[in-house]
Amino acid sequence: MDGIHDLGGKLGYGSVDVNEPEEPFHYDYEGRMWAMSRIAKAPDINIDWWRHVRELIQEDDYLNRPYFDSWAQTTIATMIDSKVFTTDELASGVSATPPLADVLEVDYEGVLQQNAEIAFDFSRPVDTEPTFSVSQTVVTNKEGHSGHTRLPEYARGKTGVIHSYHNAHCFPDDYAKGKPSAQHLYTVAFTATELWGADANPNDRVTLELWEDYLAPK
């Protein structure tokens, strides 16, 4: 969906601090929040639904809320939506129902290390052959939609070249709706001038991982 989360190519939001310290977390709660997001998930929550819920945060709140604070807001919202707990339980800090399973004591630093060693695989088998081939020229869709998508606004209606092919992967636009479909996935290269206009460096390139539904032959 189009919203404040899709800031690529937007002007007026200030510069990016490239000299920010390299530590992953600035406050203790951020590490705990990251660990909670990895272990506290309902069965019907997937990464694309989680991302879409985060995209629904109101603009002022989204821009002013610290990054991992928005993660907390999103995780809580998905848990309430999935009936893992209620708003009353959240406010009181006390569960009104028995736990679904034995509660395990978890060391969040251990969770961080465990997840750092895991490579999630979102590839899926499909029965169709890929529509596009490496070095083929393609054009991206011009229009977005109201749901979750991985095609950023700045790259819509733009011409690029297939750089590489990655087999089929979960299609985010459908996965966010609970539809477990998959599509062929490509890395598409765009010139900076195609994306940003004549003032951009003609030697620069931007690559995006894009699914087949986002593309059409040029």
Side-chain angles (χ1 to χ4, degrees):
M1 64 180 292
D2 295 333
I4 197 63
H5 65 280
D6 188 3
L7 289 178
K10 302 291 197 310
L11 299 176
Y13 291 94
S15 60
V16 176
D17 183 5
V18 296
N19 297 312
E20 187 175 355
E22 291 294 328
E23 65 267 14
F25 307 115
H26 300 88
Y27 304 98
D28 287 343
Y29 90 89
E30 294 181 342
R32 292 194 296 272
M33 186 60 248
W34 194 91
M36 287 172 59
S37 74
R38 311 311 296 169
I39 62 175
K41 290 186 176 181
D44 58 342
I45 297 174
N46 62 55
I47 188 172
D48 295 305
W49 169 239
W50 189 94
R51 284 170 171 164
H52 182 53
V53 171
R54 187 165 179 263
E55 293 165 357
L56 296 175
I57 297 174
Q58 293 296 312
E59 290 190 6
D60 288 347
D61 197 13
Y62 190 96
L63 290 175
N64 292 292
R65 184 181 290 269
Y67 182 71
F68 280 101
D69 199 27
S70 72
W71 274 43
Q73 185 182 34
T74 302
T75 299
I76 289 169
T78 56
M79 290 292 189
I80 292 173
D81 182 68
S82 296
K83 298 180 174 55
V84 174
F85 50 73
T86 67
T87 53
D88 289 340
E89 289 174 317
L90 178 66
S92 68
V94 178
S95 174
T97 58
L100 299 177
D102 293 337
V103 178
L104 301 177
E105 184 174 344
V106 177
D107 172 17
Y108 84 88
E109 291 185 355
V111 174
L112 297 179
Q113 180 61 35
Q114 179 183 1
N115 277 269
E117 298 171 355
I118 295 175
F120 291 97
D121 183 9
F122 293 99
S123 62
R124 298 291 186 272
V126 293
D127 296 329
T128 60
E129 293 295 319
T131 300
F132 307 106
S133 57
V134 173
S135 299
Q136 183 174 352
T137 300
V138 293
V139 61
T140 59
N141 294 343
K142 289 184 178 181
E143 304 297 332
H145 56 73
S146 60
H148 177 64
T149 184
R150 303 298 287 173
L151 176 60
E153 186 177 359
Y154 72 84
R156 294 177 192 162
K158 304 296 183 180
T159 298
V161 175
I162 301 293
H163 178 271
S164 53
Y165 168 64
H166 305 290
N167 298 313
H169 286 67
C170 300
F171 183 47
D173 303 46
D174 284 346
Y175 251 65
K177 301 174 184 176
K179 301 176 182 178
S181 68
Q183 289 189 11
H184 298 287
L185 178 66
Y186 309 85
T187 295
V188 183
F190 302 87
T191 63
T193 51
E194 173 68 10
L195 297 177
W196 317 120
D199 291 337
N201 188 331
N203 296 316
D204 288 344
R205 298 288 186 275
V206 175
T207 59
L208 297 172
E209 275 64 60
L210 300 177
W211 280 260
E212 207 156 72
D213 259 15
Y214 301 159
L215 306 171
K218 179 70 172 180

